[in-house]
Amino acid sequence: MEKQEQLEIVRHSCAHLVASAVQELYPQAKFGIGPVVENGFYYDIRFPRNITEEDMQKIEAEAKKMLAEGVGFERTEMSLAEALKFFADKKQDYKVMLLKDLKEKGTTKFSEKEKQEIGGSVEEVSIYQTGNFVDLCRGPHVKSAKEIGVFKLTKLAGAYWRGDSNNDQLQRIYGVCFNTQAELDEYLRLLEEAEKRDHRKIGAEQELFFFDERVGRGLTMWLPNGTIIRNEIEKLAIEKENQAGYVRVRTPHLAKEEMYLTSGHLPYYKDSMYPPMQMDDGVYYLKAMNCPHHHTIYNHKPRSYRDLPLRIAEYGECYRNELSGTLAGLLRVRCLAMNDAHIYCRKDQIKAEFKSVMKLTMGLFAIFGLKDYWFRLSKWSPDHLEKYVNEPKNWKYTQDVIREVLDEMKVKYVEADDEAAFYGPKVDVQFKSIVGREETMSTIQLDFVAKQRFNLNYTDESGADNNEVFVIHRAPLSTHERFMAFLIEQYAGVWPVWLSPVQVLFAPVATKHQEGAKMLAKELVDKGIRVEVDDADETVGNKVRKAAGRKIPYIIIVGDKELSGDPSASSGQEWMIRVRGEKDQVKMSKEKFVEKVLGEIKERKI
Amino acid sequence: MEKQEQLEIVRHSCAHLVASAVQELYPQAKFGIGPVVENGFYYDIRFPRNITEEDMQKIEAEAKKMLAEGVGFERTEMSLAEALKFFADKKQDYKVMLLKDLKEKGTTKFSEKEKQEIGGSVEEVSIYQTGNFVDLCRGPHVKSAKEIGVFKLTKLAGAYWRGDSNNDQLQRIYGVCFNTQAELDEYLRLLEEAEKRDHRKIGAEQELFFFDERVGRGLTMWLPNGTIIRNEIEKLAIEKENQAGYVRVRTPHLAKEEMYLTSGHLPYYKDSMYPPMQMDDGVYYLKAMNCPHHHTIYNHKPRSYRDLPLRIAEYGECYRNELSGTLAGLLRVRCLAMNDAHIYCRKDQIKAEFKSVMKLTMGLFAIFGLKDYWFRLSKWSPDHLEKYVNEPKNWKYTQDVIREVLDEMKVKYVEADDEAAFYGPKVDVQFKSIVGREETMSTIQLDFVAKQRFNLNYTDESGADNNEVFVIHRAPLSTHERFMAFLIEQYAGVWPVWLSPVQVLFAPVATKHQEGAKMLAKELVDKGIRVEVDDADETVGNKVRKAAGRKIPYIIIVGDKELSGDPSASSGQEWMIRVRGEKDQVKMSKEKFVEKVLGEIKERKI
């Protein structure tokens, strides 16, 4: 961890170094903020006129020169009043705004999300000087630029001051920074790999999905190929959930204002929700979560202890009013189809249910061949009682049983204090993607608050009303959108047979072989295999090349030999099969081949 | 047909008769309109104070007395000015409003939907006198009330004047009227049957679905049992559509204003759509139709003649802003899941595609055991060119090929002139429900207009752009909501095995048999059968009675005998099986029974 902290200091110092180079080249530049991000940093700057990528290269060269020279980082402290005057004199308007915020609100944070806080208190602030560049900053920094290692400026983007589109538009310079050239090279390799595997690129090539301006931003249009994959994933989830004793429901995508006042989404979460719709009987919202609908199903009749645990599942669609500018492929959308379920159980059932969800989750990941993940248990903090629902016994009990589950299952996990949700502890599943990005794929969230808000209860063995209904929210396969993006990247578009939109391609040699190929295709389709016949007016070599480019698992050329005799009695014949990823063709009878493919589909072979 | 017309005259006269009785009993009553409806009539009346069901019985008695007396129907004509004065003197405000409309607009219709138009023109109107009651009416009527046959007042409801909630609220008296007592009795029997089979009643009993005030009106909450049925129906449709060469897509439930300006839904259909939502990148609407999304998928890449016919399918959800007061169970909802698809084809492919849709549709109905239906071909009218898209050759050609299809398939059909949609001819599938109600279950609609509006085209064999893309809209299984309501009524809740939420129920005799029953259940579940074990603390007789009440197809009592020896090796044993609807139990080995049930599921036996 210390090493990571050191690297963050280096990256932060690198941001100052780059700003200093900007100051040198553009003395009129006005500086916003320059925080550390994953793998590097950025700096938001208002230039006298917008700079280009080319200009950015010049800035990089200048900063590298200063690095070689070993420019120093010098800390000074001054009173807030002095600092205000100092930055006002330098016409650094954004720094002045930050200082005014500090003076009025005691903080420069304008939202919970903002990580960086500039140095200082209402009494005194610290500033750092690097070359001619002076920045308001909490530090710490390196002593000399020589300590910075290697860096590279990677991207130029637009950014509003404080993320608000009503404010000035600045330019954001992104950079990456590592201790060694080898680390930077590895990072750049992964970046290149990520570009090759980009889900938007492959999604377009393979015709999986697209977005359309007239349909609207962040609303996925699933094409037939993407729908096949999506439906296969959904089928798998349903199958496993059925086996694990879930019941399924279908709920509308809307609910009335009253529902979200009960759930607490309104007013706190209003900005993230789609705008309200005034109907003749009240105000409606598109749902941001499935929980309120499922709680309503729980409540639709009196429940007894015999009904618990009750596991209500639905691939439910949720709507989020993201800013249109922040939407990015399938990774940030406005409508998400969530692999959702809610488990209603008694306190003494939490452990078994949590374990069962863990097993389900891990079983699903194994099917997709995903192994590089670990768990993170997010707990409350008795030191910050105000942040958490006041049920100390439940916090202690549930965190303990969850830890027991993690231990008994012998999985890799970390614990994080003071990271729980307001309403209960949770376990996140953390993935290291194939391109080195860490992401939370799914969450198993315990909830003590729903029982009060929705008055969830049951009749216990003694006939008494019991309100101690615990809810587990879980979505092992995340959302279709996110999971699909992840899988595309993971597989680089080379889908396992069971997920491949086309599993077998027949390439007829000439026009006269088309009818026969279609008959063979029909035979396989009737058995449950997805087949395509390429009847284009092209050479068979071209057809094979194109099908290989589409990563189709099996390609079979259909010519005189394959069709000799009665096609329907072609059972004895051997086919030559081009197997994806293998150099040599495989010789196999039709029967054997069909059996092999059906077997791979059934076992969901990777 | 003449008989039907005669009956309508009788029913209309009966409405006057009832109004006349009202006039007698409530001289201050103000009369709205009193049209003929299926099986009878209604009359909207404003009473000095609201009447009750009991009052309605008195009105019926009075009207029956007048019928027995053979009160006459006398026609007079007068100028519009005279009529205005006449009804104003009688303080018949609503009649005065109708006359003013006639004067100003030349019609008393206030919407396309309104069937009845009162008699007369701007010059002259006709009135009818029955007893002391005088009505503005086009006629014709019977000469004497003796011709009326038999009638019965059935229902009292609220109704706004002209259906507008800003207007006065009137009371609507519904009556049914037939030529003979036998006909009335048969009608009342069907009515009683309809009440027994009411989809709301059975839906609640069987826990199929419910509505919740906080979720909102007209938004179906599908419970686990209903979801099973819904999903089985969907699975069937998908299976048959796959076999028929459809591809599947998934599209968002929203689109931008621009989309609906292109499609023409805006502004014409705006009132039926959910209210707009203003987002940061434009105005969004919940979709009222799936077509625009599917057209967008058609257009997402250039199409060639090789791509046609392209059949794009989706169980897509559509939203309709119905007035909350008009919503009724599953029959009128605000969100509908439609068994939708759009077929894009060339003109010379229309016939084959239409035929294929007909076959698919009829095949699906056969699986559900539905036979009592016929087809209706709705055509344009060359006499009303203004109502139809101006492509006379296409109208002629397509109507002819559709008629050919209907003839070749030897189905029962009628033709209706001047009943087509603006954009093309259609075939409706008309059902006579088990309770005698005629309804349109599904529609096969041809569309010549989409190609212009959405600029649909393809590259033909010569390499030229061709805009002659015809679209077939089709939804054989209607919407989940409507079809489910129909099926519940049709089956009276006695679902075929493949649709039964629980297919087999095990009733353990005593507590000690519960574990064994659960093991047996698990065995069947793993084979794909839906099983429930009733482990309640009750007598086995009670369990059987309850399961029979739930219409579970197979009930098996599990006691010592069934569990003797090793339960997993119970193969040789004979089970006693209670088969739904059969008096005697059936003796069968476990293996035979499982095979039988799986067979019934697979064949979707009725």
Side-chain angles (χ1 to χ4, degrees):
Chain A
M1 260 336 207
E2 225 170 54
K3 227 174 140 186
Q4 184 60 26
E5 271 164 34
Q6 181 53 35
L7 189 55
E8 291 200 354
I9 291 169
V10 162
R11 284 171 177 161
H12 189 187
S13 302
C14 193
H16 279 237
L17 182 74
V18 169
S20 180
V22 168
Q23 165 90 57
E24 212 53 45
L25 297 171
Y26 303 90
Q28 286 160 17
K30 292 177 198 287
F31 295 88
I33 58 165
V36 168
V37 293
E38 211 186 344
N39 301 307
F41 58 87
Y42 66 76
Y43 217 117
D44 286 347
I45 302 167
R46 186 165 174 108
F47 290 89
R49 58 159 188 79
N50 275 356
I51 65 162
T52 62
E53 294 273 344
E54 215 172 307
D55 297 326
M56 190 174 76
Q57 297 315 316
K58 285 182 198 149
I59 294 168
E60 182 177 304
E62 178 67 22
K64 284 194 169 150
K65 208 178 79 193
M66 293 167 83
L67 186 154
E69 286 163 2
V71 74
F73 286 75
E74 222 165 291
R75 180 187 174 104
T76 329
E77 274 158 20
M78 53 175 81
S79 75
L80 205 143
E82 282 174 308
L84 265 166
K85 185 174 179 314
F86 180 84
F87 285 104
D89 286 350
K90 286 186 169 291
K91 299 208 167 62
Q92 287 297 340
D93 310 342
Y94 306 113
K95 301 293 175 187
V96 170
M97 283 190 241
L98 292 172
L99 286 164
K100 282 186 178 160
D101 274 4
L102 182 60
K103 191 170 164 185
E104 285 160 21
K105 299 191 286 184
T107 176
T108 62
K109 286 196 188 183
F110 66 99
S111 84
E112 276 301 310
K113 279 185 206 155
E114 199 181 46
K115 282 183 202 148
Q116 192 193 28
E117 174 139 42
I118 59 158
S121 66
V122 184
E123 285 81 38
E124 204 173 54
V125 298
S126 59
I127 60 170
Y128 276 87
Q129 174 145 14
T130 314
N132 290 321
F133 173 69
V134 183
D135 205 353
L136 192 60
C137 185
R138 180 168 51 179
H141 279 288
V142 295
K143 293 258 175 275
S144 147
K146 290 217 191 235
E147 295 170 47
I148 282 179
V150 292
F151 75 94
K152 185 176 161 60
L153 298 188
T154 50
K155 204 170 66 177
L156 192 61
Y160 293 107
W161 171 239
R162 316 225 102 168
D164 183 340
S165 60
N166 296 315
N167 292 340
D168 291 351
Q169 194 170 8
L170 314 180
Q171 283 186 292
R172 176 171 294 178
I173 297 175
Y174 282 96
V176 292
C177 177
F178 293 91
N179 286 320
T180 68
Q181 187 65 40
E183 283 166 2
L184 177 61
D185 288 348
E186 171 63 8
Y187 170 78
L188 294 173
R189 189 190 68 75
L190 287 177
L191 203 68
E192 200 185 325
E193 191 63 26
E195 264 168 41
K196 262 196 288 183
R197 290 168 181 262
D198 187 286
H199 78 277
R200 284 166 294 197
K201 189 174 135 275
I202 293 175
E205 282 166 10
Q206 298 196 342
E207 299 185 8
L208 301 179
F209 62 88
F210 70 109
F211 294 92
D212 177 83
E213 267 300 315
R214 224 162 30 177
V215 170
R217 302 224 182 123
L219 298 171
T220 316
M221 295 282 279
W222 294 96
L223 287 164
N225 290 341
T227 304
I228 287 171
I229 298 173
R230 183 186 152 139
N231 287 353
E232 287 289 352
I233 293 172
E234 202 161 314
K235 201 172 123 194
L236 167 68
I238 292 174
E239 189 183 305
K240 297 296 171 189
E241 285 163 0
N242 281 350
Q243 286 166 8
Y246 290 67
V247 294
R248 304 201 76 78
V249 300
R250 298 286 288 261
T251 64
H253 294 205
L254 299 159
K256 288 176 86 169
E257 189 173 33
E258 292 83 331
M259 179 73 98
Y260 298 112
L261 289 168
T262 302
S263 70
H265 287 96
L266 290 177
Y268 305 107
Y269 195 67
K270 191 170 199 277
D271 286 348
S272 297
M273 292 173 73
Y274 269 62
M277 288 174 281
Q278 175 72 54
M279 309 276 284
D280 74 349
D281 61 329
V283 173
Y284 283 76
Y285 284 89
L286 280 166
K287 66 181 173 188
M289 297 284 182
N290 298 305
C291 346
H293 285 78
H294 291 184
H295 299 341
T296 304
I297 286 189
Y298 180 91
N299 276 339
H300 111 277
K301 66 171 182 176
R303 299 290 178 179
S304 116
Y305 67 96
R306 289 178 181 282
D307 294 328
L308 304 187
L310 180 67
R311 309 177 193 94
I312 296 178
E314 177 177 28
Y315 245 106
E317 304 210 22
C318 301
Y319 296 82
R320 308 273 163 88
N321 188 357
E322 307 277 0
L323 291 173
S324 59
T326 65
L327 300 168
L330 294 178
L331 283 176
R332 193 183 284 259
V333 290
R334 281 178 170 170
C335 173
L336 319 100
M338 197 176 291
N339 170 225
D340 218 352
H342 295 89
I343 300 175
Y344 301 81
C345 65
R346 294 188 318 232
K347 194 167 172 173
D348 63 344
Q349 294 170 329
I350 293 173
K351 186 173 170 184
E353 289 306 309
F354 225 91
K355 197 170 206 168
S356 152
V357 172
M358 291 275 298
K359 278 187 185 161
L360 179 74
T361 305
M362 294 171 70
L364 287 168
F365 288 155
I367 289 168
F368 289 99
L370 303 175
K371 289 170 199 146
D372 205 359
Y373 61 87
W374 64 98
F375 296 89
R376 186 177 60 200
L377 168 57
S378 295
K379 301 179 297 181
W380 77 326
S381 163
D383 301 336
H384 292 104
L385 290 175
E386 73 291 354
K387 283 169 64 182
Y388 302 101
V389 57
N390 183 23
E391 300 189 11
K393 278 189 189 161
N394 279 335
W395 281 103
K396 169 132 188 31
Y397 173 81
T398 56
Q399 291 179 178
D400 285 349
V401 299
I402 294 171
R403 191 183 299 105
E404 277 170 38
V405 169
L406 293 165
D407 286 335
E408 287 170 18
M409 294 192 71
K410 297 190 172 43
V411 296
K412 192 170 137 197
Y413 73 98
V414 294
E415 298 195 21
D417 279 322
D418 205 13
E419 288 286 340
F422 165 71
Y423 45 91
K426 64 173 176 171
V427 168
D428 287 325
V429 190
Q430 295 301 109
F431 265 84
K432 188 83 167 183
S433 85
I434 203 155
V435 298
R437 197 179 51 245
E438 183 179 330
E439 55 180 285
T440 303
M441 182 60 75
S442 37
T443 296
I444 314 172
Q445 169 75 58
L446 200 63
D447 184 343
F448 318 152
V449 172
K451 57 182 156 55
Q452 267 90 38
R453 286 199 175 273
F454 282 87
N455 195 25
L456 306 175
N457 53 40
Y458 69 98
T459 309
D460 65 21
E461 283 90 335
S462 72
D465 257 15
N466 193 324
N467 185 228
E468 279 281 275
V469 177
F470 290 79
V471 178
I472 300 172
H473 308 246
R474 40 111 286 172
L477 295 183
S478 184
T479 65
H480 272 313
E481 292 71 21
R482 197 182 162 78
F483 194 60
M484 184 71 100
F486 182 83
L487 282 187
I488 291 173
E489 192 178 81
Q490 198 70 16
Y491 296 144
V494 184
W495 299 96
V497 174
W498 70 281
L499 288 173
S500 288
V502 176
Q503 294 163 326
V504 176
L505 182 123
F506 285 116
V509 174
T511 313
K512 65 173 174 171
H513 305 115
Q514 285 183 8
E515 268 319 296
K518 280 179 191 167
M519 279 180 68
L520 289 175
K522 173 97 176 54
E523 216 178 306
L524 269 61
V525 167
D526 286 347
K527 293 207 160 76
I529 300 174
R530 293 188 290 266
V531 187
E532 193 178 297
V533 176
D534 184 351
D535 59 1
D537 192 12
E538 287 180 9
T539 67
V540 75
N542 258 348
K543 292 180 188 180
V544 169
R545 260 189 302 281
K546 270 162 52 183
R550 286 166 65 195
K551 318 285 186 205
I552 292 173
Y554 300 106
I555 305 169
I556 299 166
I557 294 178
V558 180
D560 286 338
K561 215 178 97 195
E562 287 74 10
L563 296 172
S564 61
D566 176 7
S568 70
S570 61
S571 62
Q573 288 164 35
E574 299 276 284
W575 285 358
M576 292 303 293
I577 296 151
R578 282 171 166 73
V579 181
R580 184 177 60 190
E582 286 181 26
K583 219 182 130 210
D584 295 327
Q585 296 184 42
V586 176
K587 202 174 190 178
M588 207 181 280
S589 73
K590 183 173 74 181
E591 284 65 35
K592 279 265 176 230
F593 175 69
V594 167
E595 197 184 311
K596 173 185 157 73
V597 177
L598 287 178
E600 288 173 354
I601 293 170
K602 202 176 165 200
E603 314 163 16
R604 299 191 169 102
K605 186 163 171 263
I606 301 166
Chain B
M1 258 337 209
E2 225 169 54
K3 229 173 142 188
Q4 182 61 25
E5 270 164 37
Q6 180 55 31
L7 189 55
E8 292 200 353
I9 291 168
V10 162
R11 285 173 177 160
H12 189 189
S13 302
C14 193
H16 280 236
L17 182 74
V18 169
S20 179
V22 168
Q23 166 90 56
E24 212 54 43
L25 297 171
Y26 304 89
Q28 284 158 19
K30 292 178 198 287
F31 295 87
I33 58 165
V36 168
V37 294
E38 210 185 346
N39 301 307
F41 58 87
Y42 67 75
Y43 217 115
D44 287 346
I45 302 167
R46 186 162 173 108
F47 290 90
R49 58 158 187 79
N50 274 356
I51 65 162
T52 62
E53 294 272 345
E54 214 170 308
D55 297 327
M56 192 174 73
Q57 296 317 315
K58 285 182 198 151
I59 294 169
E60 182 177 304
E62 178 68 23
K64 283 193 168 152
K65 207 179 81 192
M66 292 167 83
L67 186 151
E69 286 165 3
V71 73
F73 286 75
E74 222 165 289
R75 180 187 173 102
T76 330
E77 276 161 19
M78 52 175 81
S79 75
L80 206 144
E82 281 174 310
L84 265 167
K85 185 173 180 315
F86 179 85
F87 285 103
D89 287 350
K90 288 185 167 288
K91 299 206 168 61
Q92 288 298 338
D93 308 342
Y94 306 112
K95 301 292 175 191
V96 170
M97 283 190 244
L98 292 172
L99 286 165
K100 281 185 177 160
D101 275 2
L102 182 61
K103 190 170 165 186
E104 285 159 21
K105 301 191 285 182
T107 175
T108 63
K109 285 196 189 184
F110 65 99
S111 83
E112 276 300 312
K113 282 184 203 155
E114 199 181 47
K115 283 181 200 151
Q116 193 194 28
E117 174 140 43
I118 60 160
S121 65
V122 185
E123 285 82 40
E124 202 174 55
V125 299
S126 58
I127 60 171
Y128 275 89
Q129 174 145 13
T130 316
N132 290 319
F133 173 70
V134 182
D135 205 351
L136 192 60
C137 184
R138 177 170 49 181
H141 280 288
V142 295
K143 294 256 173 278
S144 148
K146 289 211 191 236
E147 295 171 44
I148 283 180
V150 293
F151 77 94
K152 184 175 162 60
L153 299 188
T154 50
K155 203 169 66 177
L156 191 60
Y160 293 106
W161 170 240
R162 315 224 107 167
D164 183 339
S165 59
N166 297 314
N167 291 342
D168 292 351
Q169 194 172 7
L170 314 181
Q171 282 187 292
R172 177 171 294 178
I173 297 174
Y174 281 98
V176 292
C177 177
F178 294 90
N179 286 322
T180 68
Q181 187 66 38
E183 282 166 1
L184 176 62
D185 289 346
E186 170 63 6
Y187 170 78
L188 293 174
R189 188 190 68 74
L190 286 177
L191 203 66
E192 201 185 326
E193 192 63 29
E195 262 168 42
K196 262 197 287 184
R197 292 168 179 261
D198 186 285
H199 78 277
R200 282 166 296 197
K201 187 174 137 277
I202 293 175
E205 282 166 8
Q206 299 197 340
E207 298 186 9
L208 302 179
F209 62 87
F210 71 109
F211 294 92
D212 177 83
E213 267 301 317
R214 225 163 28 177
V215 170
R217 303 227 179 118
L219 297 172
T220 317
M221 294 281 279
W222 293 97
L223 286 163
N225 290 341
T227 305
I228 286 170
I229 298 172
R230 184 186 150 138
N231 288 353
E232 287 289 353
I233 293 172
E234 202 160 315
K235 201 171 121 193
L236 167 68
I238 291 174
E239 188 182 305
K240 296 296 171 193
E241 284 162 1
N242 281 350
Q243 286 167 10
Y246 289 67
V247 293
R248 302 201 78 77
V249 299
R250 297 286 286 264
T251 64
H253 294 203
L254 300 159
K256 287 176 87 170
E257 190 174 34
E258 291 83 332
M259 180 72 99
Y260 298 112
L261 289 167
T262 302
S263 70
H265 287 95
L266 290 177
Y268 305 107
Y269 195 68
K270 192 168 199 277
D271 286 349
S272 298
M273 292 173 74
Y274 268 63
M277 288 173 282
Q278 175 71 54
M279 309 278 283
D280 74 348
D281 61 327
V283 173
Y284 284 76
Y285 284 89
L286 280 166
K287 66 182 173 187
M289 297 283 183
N290 299 306
C291 347
H293 285 79
H294 290 186
H295 298 341
T296 304
I297 286 190
Y298 180 91
N299 276 340
H300 112 277
K301 66 171 185 178
R303 300 290 178 180
S304 113
Y305 67 96
R306 287 178 180 282
D307 295 326
L308 304 185
L310 180 68
R311 309 176 192 94
I312 296 178
E314 177 178 27
Y315 244 107
E317 304 209 23
C318 300
Y319 296 82
R320 309 273 164 89
N321 188 358
E322 307 276 2
L323 291 174
S324 59
T326 65
L327 300 168
L330 294 177
L331 282 176
R332 191 183 285 258
V333 290
R334 281 176 169 171
C335 173
L336 320 101
M338 198 178 289
N339 170 224
D340 217 352
H342 296 89
I343 299 173
Y344 301 82
C345 65
R346 295 188 316 232
K347 193 166 172 174
D348 63 346
Q349 294 169 327
I350 293 173
K351 184 173 172 185
E353 289 307 309
F354 225 92
K355 196 172 207 169
S356 154
V357 171
M358 291 274 299
K359 278 188 184 160
L360 180 74
T361 305
M362 294 171 72
L364 287 168
F365 289 154
I367 288 169
F368 290 98
L370 304 175
K371 290 169 198 147
D372 205 359
Y373 61 88
W374 65 97
F375 297 88
R376 185 178 59 201
L377 167 56
S378 294
K379 301 179 295 181
W380 77 325
S381 162
D383 300 336
H384 293 101
L385 289 176
E386 72 292 353
K387 285 170 63 182
Y388 302 101
V389 57
N390 182 24
E391 301 189 9
K393 277 189 190 161
N394 279 336
W395 281 104
K396 169 134 188 30
Y397 173 82
T398 58
Q399 290 178 178
D400 285 349
V401 298
I402 294 172
R403 191 182 299 105
E404 277 169 39
V405 168
L406 293 164
D407 286 335
E408 287 170 18
M409 295 192 70
K410 299 188 172 41
V411 295
K412 192 169 138 195
Y413 73 96
V414 295
E415 298 193 23
D417 279 323
D418 204 12
E419 288 287 338
F422 165 69
Y423 44 92
K426 65 174 176 171
V427 168
D428 288 324
V429 189
Q430 295 300 109
F431 265 85
K432 188 84 167 182
S433 85
I434 202 154
V435 296
R437 198 179 51 245
E438 184 179 331
E439 54 182 287
T440 303
M441 182 60 74
S442 37
T443 297
I444 313 170
Q445 170 75 57
L446 199 63
D447 183 343
F448 319 152
V449 171
K451 55 181 156 58
Q452 267 90 39
R453 284 200 175 273
F454 282 86
N455 194 24
L456 306 174
N457 53 42
Y458 69 98
T459 310
D460 65 20
E461 284 90 333
S462 72
D465 256 15
N466 192 322
N467 185 227
E468 279 280 278
V469 177
F470 290 78
V471 178
I472 300 172
H473 308 246
R474 40 113 285 174
L477 296 183
S478 184
T479 67
H480 272 314
E481 291 71 22
R482 198 184 161 80
F483 195 60
M484 183 72 101
F486 183 83
L487 283 187
I488 291 174
E489 192 179 83
Q490 198 71 15
Y491 296 145
V494 184
W495 299 98
V497 174
W498 71 281
L499 287 174
S500 287
V502 176
Q503 293 162 328
V504 176
L505 183 123
F506 284 117
V509 174
T511 313
K512 64 172 176 175
H513 304 115
Q514 284 182 11
E515 267 320 294
K518 280 178 190 166
M519 280 180 65
L520 288 175
K522 173 96 178 54
E523 214 179 311
L524 268 61
V525 167
D526 286 347
K527 293 209 161 76
I529 300 173
R530 293 188 290 265
V531 187
E532 193 178 297
V533 176
D534 184 350
D535 60 0
D537 191 14
E538 288 181 9
T539 66
V540 76
N542 258 347
K543 292 181 188 181
V544 169
R545 260 189 301 283
K546 270 162 51 182
R550 287 165 63 196
K551 319 287 186 204
I552 293 174
Y554 300 106
I555 305 170
I556 300 167
I557 294 177
V558 181
D560 285 338
K561 213 180 97 194
E562 285 75 10
L563 296 172
S564 61
D566 175 8
S568 69
S570 61
S571 61
Q573 289 164 35
E574 300 275 281
W575 286 358
M576 293 304 293
I577 296 151
R578 283 170 166 73
V579 181
R580 184 177 62 190
E582 287 181 23
K583 219 182 130 211
D584 296 325
Q585 296 182 43
V586 176
K587 204 176 191 177
M588 208 180 281
S589 74
K590 185 173 73 179
E591 285 64 36
K592 279 263 174 234
F593 175 67
V594 167
E595 196 184 311
K596 172 185 158 73
V597 176
L598 287 178
E600 288 173 354
I601 294 170
K602 202 176 162 197
E603 314 163 16
R604 299 191 168 103
K605 187 164 172 262
I606 299 166

